[in-house]
Each structure stands twice: as C-alpha cells, then as structure tokens.
Amino acid sequence: MTQKITAHDVNVFYGEKQAIRQVSIDIDQEDVTAFIGPSGCGKSTFLRTLNRMNDTVASARVEGDIRLDGEDIYSKDMDVVQLRARVGMVFQKPNPFPKSIYENVAYGPRIHGLASGKSEMDAIVEQSLTRAGLWAEVKDRLSDSGTALSGGQQQRLCIARAIAVDPEVILMDEPCSALDPIATARIEELIHDLRGRYAIVIVTHNMQQAARVSQKTAFFHLGELVEYGDTNDIFTNPREPRTTDYITGRYG
Amino acid sequence: MTDRAPTDWRTDAMRRRIVRRYGAERRFRMFGLGAIILSAGFLAFLIVTMVMQGAAGFTETRVSLPIDFAAAELTVTPEQLRGDRGNLALAGAGLEGVVDGAAGAAFAQQGGAELLSDGAWLRVRDTLKANPGMLRGRTAIDVPVATDIDVAYKGDGTPEAEQVVAALGDRLSRGLNRDFFGNADATDPTRVGIWGALKGSLLTMFVTLILAFPIGVLSALYLEEYAPKNRWTDLIEVSINNLAAVPSIIFGLLGLAVFLGTFGLPRSAPIVGGLTLALMTMPVIVIAGRNAIKAVPPSIRDAALGIGASPVQVVFHHVLPLALPGILTGTIIGMARALGETAPLLMIGMRAFIAAPPEGLTDPATVLPVQIFLWSDEVARGFVEKTSAAIIVLLVFLLAMNGVAIYLRNRFETRW
Ligand SMILES: Nc1ncnc2c1ncn2[C@@H]1O[C@H](COP(=O)(O)OP(=O)(O)OP(=O)(O)O)[C@@H](O)[C@H]1O
Ligand SMILES: [Mg+2]
C-alpha cells in the first residue's frame, strides 16, 4: 500500500478553541477512506486541512505535519493554488458556479491549461460528466445554467467539476447528505469507479454508506481520532467502546 | 411543569387576529400604492411643467427681412464666399451694417435694427454662403428677432412689444432654434446655446467616470477580498463612509486648494471639475461595491478556490461578475449625483461666462446645472424659457446615462 497523504500530530484551532487534537492518519492511494463521527467532532475541519482550505478561515490555525507524496503541504515551497488542484474537494452543499453546465466543468481545466483547443476541452467535459454519471441527463442542455439543475444533479456536477481537473486526491464532505436514495446510489457507484484512479476521502453520517464504499474508516470524536483501520474491522470488531457506541447508534 | 392545553384555532380571538392581519396587509398595500402614485404624480407634474415652459426655448421667432444686395455696396464676389474665408470676407465687407440698414429701411416704425437679434446678420451671412447667387439681387431672409419681440410673439411680452408684434403681423414666423444646440452662453438670450454646457458636462462626466469607476471598484475589491481585517481597515472604512456624507461644496474647496492651488491646473476646466466630482463619486462606488461584493455567496469562492483558482482568478472570474450589477447600480447613483452637482463646480470657477464650447479637457467650460443656475439668475425675460429648455436637456442627459447603465446592468445580471 502506498501512502498518498500522511498526517502527523495535527492540531487545528479556531481562535482559542481547539477543534482537532493530535490527529495522525495515513491515507492510502488505492483505497476509499471514510471519516465518521458525531456532528461537530471536526471531520470537515480535518478534511479541509488536507487541501489547506482552512487558510480561508481567518481564525483558523493548523499545527503539525501533513505530507502529500512526502511533500510538506504547509511548507513555504508548497504552492497552495496547485495543491488545491491536486487535492480536489466536493463540498457538503452543492455549489455550482452560476454559469453554464459546460463552463462549470471546463473552468478548472481552462485555468490550469489542461486542454489545448476546443475539441480537447469538449472531450474533457464529456468524460468528466460521464464519470460523474450526469452526461446522459445534461448532454442536450450544456449551455443551461448549472444552478438550474436539481440538488442531486448539482452535486454530481460539482463532482464532475472536481474530476475535470484530474486531481490526485478527491475529498468529499458529505456528498450525499442532500440526495435521494437513487442519486446517492449513483454517487456511491461513481466512488467505486473512481477508486484506484484517485485517492478518495469521504465524510459521511451514514454508517451503511461508509461500510459500502470505503475500505478504511476513521472514527472521530470531540476532535480526536479515536480509531482508524479497515472498514470491516471497525464495523464488525471495533477496539474502542466509543466506536462501538457510535456505530451501534447509542449516541450520535 | 403543567402541560399546555391544546390550542383552539377557532376562537373569536383567533378570528379577530385574522381580520386584523388582513387589515394590516390591506393598509400596507394601500400605503405603498399611495406612495408610488404620489411620486409618479410629482414626476409627471415636473416633466409636464418643464416641457410646457421649456418647449418654447427650443424655438425662435423670425422676421422676414427684405435686403437688396445689388444696391448695397458689398465688395464681395460669389467666389470669395466659398470655404472658410467667406465668413471673414463678409464681415470685412460690412455685412452687419448692410443688415442694420435694411432693417432700418424695412421696419422704420418698429425700431429698425433694434428689432433684430444681435445674431441676425450671422443668419444672413450663413444664408448668403449657402446661396452666393443672392448677392446679385433682392431677397427676403428670415432672421431671428430681438428677445423682447421673441417673448411677445410667444405670448408673454410687454405692451410695447405686443404692439410691434401686432404691426408686423404675418411677417413673423416661428422655427426650430438650431443655434441653441450649437452655441454656448451669450449675453443675448436669442443667441444662447446649450451645446457648450452639454459638452462641458460630457467631458466632466467622462473624467469622473474613468477615474471614479476603476479606482472605486478596485478599492472595494481590495478592501473586501485582500485587506486584513484590523484597526487600520476599520479606520479606512469609517473614513470612506464619512467621505460619502461630506457636503459637496467642501469637495469644491478641496478641488480649489489642491487641483488649482497645488497642481496649478487651469481654472474652469472639465478636467478639474471631473477630478473634483470623482473625489465625491468614488466613496459612493466603494460603498455600493463593497456591499455587492459581500453579497456574493462564500460558497462560490470556496468552489473556485477548491479547484485551484488563484485569489485573483476568484475575484475576476467569479466575484466581480456576480457583483457587477450591484456595483453598476451604485455607479448610476453616484454619477447621477455628480451630473447634477453645482456647488463644487462653482468653487473651481466653472461659473464663469464662457461663450465658446470647450475643445478639450483643459479648455474653460461650464456644465449643465451651472448653466441652468446662471440663466435662472438672469433678468432678461428671454432667459426663463432657455432655463427650462436647459433643464429638459439635463434631464434627457440623465435619462440617457441611466438607460445605458441599466442596460449594462441587465446584461450582466446572473440568473441563479
Ligand atoms: N469557521 C469556524 N470558526 C469557529 N469554529 C468553527 C468553525 N468551523 C467549525 N468550527 C468548530 O469546530 C468544530 C468542528 O467543526 P466541523 O465543521 O469540523 O465539524 P463536523 O465534524 O464536520 O460536523 P458535521 O458533521 O456537523 O458537519 C465545531 O465545534 C465547530 O463549532
Ligand atoms: Mg461537516
């Protein structure tokens, strides 16, 4: 197993308040990793440290060592803009640009110069939308606004937008929280398909989903990483009583 | 804790509450409608009175003046009238005297040359230049009359002037005053024009816009997107808000001291007027711009940053286009205020009497509102309608400017 991201002793503070305590975790290249834990335990916060989106929060401060392929992402030499292209993110709430569907997907490749010419760009857009399972629904209305799509379609558009940049890692923050079972199943299928090509981290509140899509699971509680291991072990044979309580629904 | 009794939604008290709610809603709609009708009424009243008073300002009264050029000793040949030299040739040949003489002969009882506008001979000159053949014969040319006759013919003159009008009968006629759209200020109300002030306003607004818009928008972007939030930026924010509230005459004094005093720019020039008004307009654009930028949802910024857009790309590809309609609204308000501004321009010398339209940004000029102010202050009766006509021109300018801005705003409007 190759480790795509290694995090060591990470602490995150919002002002005085500590949101993440001494978290160390290695994210595998070939696996899907699920982050689970009660609301407010710091899953999103930790996820956002992995592509430095926390830089945009004025009060946030990150300590510790996080490496992507061995490179320290918080070092001075790391270019944040390129880091975020390499570590793509799908947000909890669908946030398409108020531009056409085509433009939503083409924007990333365009600013990074990934396509030379219109036909190459068309190919990237089609491929990304196909991978995100949206192509069939939108191929005749690519110039419609991305915001005119339904919530589930918007979320898949955001996924297409993220993979169009051809990142190395995709971080998904509760991508299915607003979706119906059918759209959820589509996205889970998509995660299956993308596995291996990208390292994937997914935050979810849905235990079945974590069990279905992930090979590794990390359980967070009150800012700490309580338990991390193979998804099978976590769900069938957890070591920590807190994990047991959470996945059996004794609190949450 | 005792359990709450189940709520009964059918009591009389409930019914009364519903009736009251409907009443409140009806009242609110009526007040709103009343307010709209009232303001529409005021606007209609303003426009109707202005048009009624001002329409006459766009016309002039002419009298048919018979002139015998063959008998007059004009030492000009038809060839000399061609080109630009014609003006000089005719003036040198004493055309003005010839016209005065003709008027003296034709209207001996009505005051002779006094009957005509000071500019009457210029009309004769232009007619001659257009038809050089007239030099060899006897013709009648329609020339503008003096202001008191003009006013009397339009129905509001002194008894003496009324008599003259009656005596002249159908030798008087009315026509569009083309000079009004080509001339600048003059002492004789029949010769004044609005073009000088209109051009001055255009040049001034141009300077204001190209300074205030980019600087205002960039300041707003910097303050919202880049500046750290600390005591200094708070101070800047308070200063800008206060700047927007400073009475305009103070900006005039500032312009006088800085642009004329320190930098030695020319007095009465559109560039100085534009600079002064830009100072005044900029804070309005900054405030409107910041509000528009704040209204762009943060999720859009996250989305762009999340796929590796740089901060500048986020601003120029996403934030600015989404904020532009709001910024343009602020710009319309600021520019409209600047267009109607008089006081600060008086301070920097734009109230001078300027008889020629400005040729460039540094030529002495005046602007529409100042011109209106100056004409409204004149005693001569003929200036009343010119003032109203100038107000109409100003309002049309304002509407045209707003129309362009609204068109642009709608083009950039994003439908979510
Ligand atoms: N911008 C912020 N400023 C201050 N505190 C924050 C901020 N964002 C999150 N927090 C705090 O950090 C803690 C962790 O929040 P986080 O959003 O990471 O939780 P989460 O595990 O993603 O929860 P959920 O499952 O509800 O999304 C919470 O206590 C939250 O109040
Ligand atoms: Mg979260």
Side-chain angles (χ1 to χ4, degrees):
Chain A
M1 279 287 163
T2 45
Q3 258 113 47
K4 188 67 187 172
I5 298 177
T6 58
H8 201 71
D9 287 346
V10 175
N11 291 305
V12 182
F13 302 84
Y14 289 114
E16 295 291 287
K17 199 174 141 255
Q18 187 162 4
I20 290 290
R21 290 165 200 278
Q22 294 295 320
V23 170
S24 300
I25 193 170
D26 295 341
I27 309 284
D28 289 334
Q29 166 67 58
E30 284 87 12
D31 285 339
V32 175
T33 306
F35 286 0
I36 60 171
S39 186
C41 69
K43 305 177 297 291
S44 299
T45 301
F46 186 70
L47 200 68
R48 290 163 62 92
T49 60
L50 302 181
N51 66 346
R52 288 185 59 176
M53 280 303 284
N54 279 334
D55 291 12
T56 62
V57 181
S59 65
R61 186 161 53 84
V62 178
E63 283 175 2
D65 181 73
I66 302 176
R67 288 171 187 275
L68 175 68
D69 288 334
E71 276 178 88
D72 181 358
I73 67 167
Y74 280 87
S75 85
K76 277 212 177 63
D77 302 331
M78 176 55 71
D79 179 63
V80 192
V81 170
Q82 205 191 48
L83 171 74
R84 294 194 188 126
R86 291 170 63 190
V87 183
M89 186 158 202
V90 178
F91 295 83
Q92 186 164 346
K93 269 196 352 217
N95 55 356
F97 300 128
K99 299 178 191 257
S100 72
I101 294 171
Y102 184 96
E103 197 50 39
N104 261 282
V105 183
Y107 180 70
R110 179 169 311 127
I111 59 174
H112 296 294
L114 303 185
S116 56
K118 173 100 173 84
S119 58
E120 234 176 279
M121 184 63 86
D122 289 350
I124 290 181
V125 170
E126 175 170 353
Q127 192 195 36
S128 308
L129 285 169
T130 308
R131 283 228 193 100
L134 190 61
W135 176 250
E137 286 155 73
V138 301
K139 64 174 187 293
D140 300 321
R141 43 188 291 212
L142 289 176
S143 54
D144 285 10
S145 172
T147 50
L149 296 171
S150 79
Q153 289 173 325
Q154 288 187 12
Q155 192 61 290
R156 279 177 282 153
L157 179 61
C158 293
I159 293 173
R161 181 175 68 189
I163 56 187
V165 185
D166 197 29
E168 298 166 16
V169 182
I170 296 187
L171 311 173
M172 298 189 183
D173 195 349
E174 298 184 44
C176 305
S177 62
L179 303 191
D180 69 29
I182 299 168
T184 303
R186 280 243 178 78
I187 287 183
E188 287 181 13
E189 257 170 59
L190 166 71
I191 293 171
H192 270 296
D193 295 346
L194 298 179
R195 180 188 163 204
R197 184 181 171 101
Y198 310 113
I200 297 175
V201 183
I202 175 171
V203 174
T204 176
H205 280 293
N206 182 330
M207 294 307 113
Q208 286 82 18
Q209 183 173 59
R212 281 194 301 265
V213 301
S214 72
Q215 288 72 49
K216 288 286 186 74
T217 296
F219 172 58
F220 286 81
H221 186 230
L222 297 177
E224 286 171 49
L225 177 60
V226 177
E227 195 168 344
Y228 177 48
D230 285 346
T231 300
N232 271 338
D233 295 345
I234 299 266
F235 280 97
T236 56
N237 189 18
R239 270 171 287 128
E240 291 275 336
R242 281 188 284 174
T243 318
T244 319
D245 288 350
Y246 182 70
I247 59 178
T248 55
R250 226 161 290 167
Y251 66 67
Chain B
M1 197 181 124
T2 56
D3 262 347
R4 285 174 62 185
T7 306
D8 183 358
W9 292 96
R10 288 158 205 283
T11 58
D12 279 347
M14 281 291 180
R15 204 158 296 133
R16 272 199 302 280
R17 188 167 293 120
I18 291 173
V19 169
R20 267 210 308 279
R21 199 177 70 215
Y22 278 117
E25 226 144 286
R26 213 169 28 244
R27 269 196 305 282
F28 177 73
R29 254 212 308 277
M30 259 155 53
F31 286 145
L33 202 64
I36 300 242
I37 289 174
L38 200 66
S39 39
F42 276 129
L43 193 68
F45 177 74
L46 177 81
I47 289 176
V48 168
T49 44
M50 278 306 137
V51 169
M52 292 209 325
Q53 290 190 11
F58 295 109
T59 64
E60 64 182 6
T61 310
R62 298 168 188 157
V63 65
S64 167
L65 174 68
I67 309 182
D68 189 354
F69 288 111
E73 264 117 56
L74 271 179
T75 52
V76 197
T77 61
E79 289 70 45
Q80 283 178 300
L81 294 184
R82 298 221 181 81
D84 290 339
R85 304 197 148 264
N87 286 354
L88 219 61
L90 281 171
L95 180 64
E96 192 170 1
V98 172
V99 172
D100 284 356
F107 312 115
Q109 265 89 61
Q110 288 88 26
E114 297 284 291
L115 182 69
L116 303 186
S117 154
D118 290 354
W121 75 276
L122 295 171
R123 189 67 56 84
V124 175
R125 181 190 75 188
D126 293 342
T127 315
L128 272 181
K129 280 173 68 190
N131 315 285
M134 283 184 177
L135 269 179
R136 284 190 286 269
R138 207 188 132 86
T139 34
I141 298 176
D142 282 347
V143 296
V145 297
T147 180
D148 48 341
I149 310 297
D150 180 53
V151 171
Y153 186 70
K154 286 167 181 166
D156 194 22
T158 57
E160 301 86 55
E162 299 279 10
Q163 275 174 6
V164 175
V165 169
L168 287 172
D170 58 5
R171 288 155 87 184
L172 290 173
S173 63
R174 212 196 247 223
L176 183 69
N177 185 354
R178 286 211 189 76
D179 289 346
F180 187 68
F181 299 102
N183 286 1
D185 204 0
T187 43
D188 179 349
T190 58
R191 293 186 61 190
V192 299
I194 200 64
W195 175 235
L198 184 61
K199 200 170 172 195
S201 270
L202 275 169
L203 293 172
T204 307
M205 286 297 107
F206 171 74
V207 174
T208 304
L209 186 66
I210 62 163
L211 285 174
F213 186 70
I215 297 180
V217 171
L218 290 179
S219 315
L221 279 175
Y222 180 80
L223 285 173
E224 274 310 308
E225 299 286 322
Y226 286 94
K229 304 276 173 276
N230 58 28
R231 223 173 321 141
W232 290 111
T233 43
D234 284 350
L235 192 71
I236 291 175
E237 171 155 14
V238 171
S239 316
I240 289 176
N241 289 348
N242 282 329
L243 213 55
V246 168
S248 57
I249 191 131
I250 315 259
F251 283 102
L253 284 169
L254 186 74
L256 180 64
V258 176
F259 302 129
L260 299 185
T262 311
F263 294 118
L265 289 170
R267 195 166 263 282
S268 312
I271 182 138
V272 180
L275 282 164
T276 309
L277 293 179
L279 285 180
M280 217 183 76
T281 310
M282 212 179 60
V284 178
I285 298 181
V286 173
I287 293 172
R290 290 188 65 172
N291 287 333
I293 291 164
K294 268 200 201 104
V296 175
S299 65
I300 297 297
R301 292 185 179 83
D302 280 353
L305 287 172
I307 51 172
S310 69
V312 171
Q313 286 169 332
V314 173
V315 166
F316 284 96
H317 296 165
H318 301 283
V319 176
L320 191 57
L322 290 175
L324 206 53
I327 295 176
L328 285 176
T329 307
T331 309
I332 297 173
I333 295 171
M335 291 297 288
R337 188 180 151 204
L339 177 63
E341 204 51 78
T342 319
L345 300 180
L346 298 180
M347 303 305 300
I348 57 152
M350 286 188 116
R351 67 162 305 163
F353 174 83
I354 289 144
E359 292 298 321
L361 293 177
T362 49
D363 281 357
T366 189
V367 293
L368 286 168
V370 175
Q371 189 69 81
I372 290 167
F373 168 72
L374 292 175
W375 284 352
S376 70
D377 222 21
E378 293 278 351
V379 264
R381 187 67 192 70
F383 275 107
V384 174
E385 58 185 36
K386 298 294 170 193
T387 309
S388 298
I391 291 173
I392 292 175
V393 171
L394 175 62
L395 290 180
V396 168
F397 189 165
L398 194 75
L399 288 180
M401 201 168 82
N402 286 359
V404 170
I406 290 170
Y407 169 76
L408 286 177
R409 189 178 66 191
N410 290 345
R411 269 210 53 191
F412 288 117
E413 194 100 78
T414 314
R415 271 156 284 278
W416 291 85

